[in-house]
Amino acid sequence: MKKLKDFINKNYNEFSNLDGNEVIELTMEEAKEEGLDNEMINYLKTNYRFDYKGICVYYNEDEDQVWVENMEA
């Protein structure tokens, strides 16, 4: 999904500097402020996660948040 790749590319420096136990937790409002639109959020809700360049963006249903992790840390 191009929009999710663009989101990761735009924030790659921040995301790639996360260490193994760090997670960025975005509320739905914060996710939208960061550029994730309803289409991308619905994709994550349906497919659970999206991986690109070692970065994992996924929907945490329990918290109703979008979380970002560096899987290469």
Side-chain angles (χ1 to χ4, degrees):
M1 167 157 238
K2 183 180 180 337
K3 290 182 180 181
L4 282 167
K5 286 181 180 179
D6 290 345
F7 170 72
I8 291 171
N9 285 329
K10 177 181 151 197
N11 298 288
Y12 186 75
N13 285 338
E14 178 184 0
F15 296 161
S16 64
N17 285 319
L18 294 171
D19 70 28
N21 60 355
E22 286 183 299
V23 177
I24 294 176
E25 302 174 12
L26 301 170
T27 65
M28 288 299 113
E29 183 177 312
E30 291 168 333
K32 289 178 181 177
E33 289 172 3
E34 291 294 323
L36 292 173
D37 62 21
N38 286 333
E39 178 186 0
M40 295 188 300
I41 291 169
N42 287 333
Y43 174 89
L44 294 172
K45 286 180 177 180
T46 303
N47 296 284
Y48 178 67
R49 66 187 276 167
F50 181 81
D51 292 275
Y52 178 67
K53 290 187 170 180
I55 306 300
C56 177
V57 181
Y58 60 98
Y59 176 69
N60 181 318
E61 185 175 1
D62 294 335
E63 302 293 329
D64 191 33
Q65 294 181 334
V66 173
W67 287 12
V68 181
E69 290 186 57
N70 179 359
M71 303 307 282
E72 294 184 349

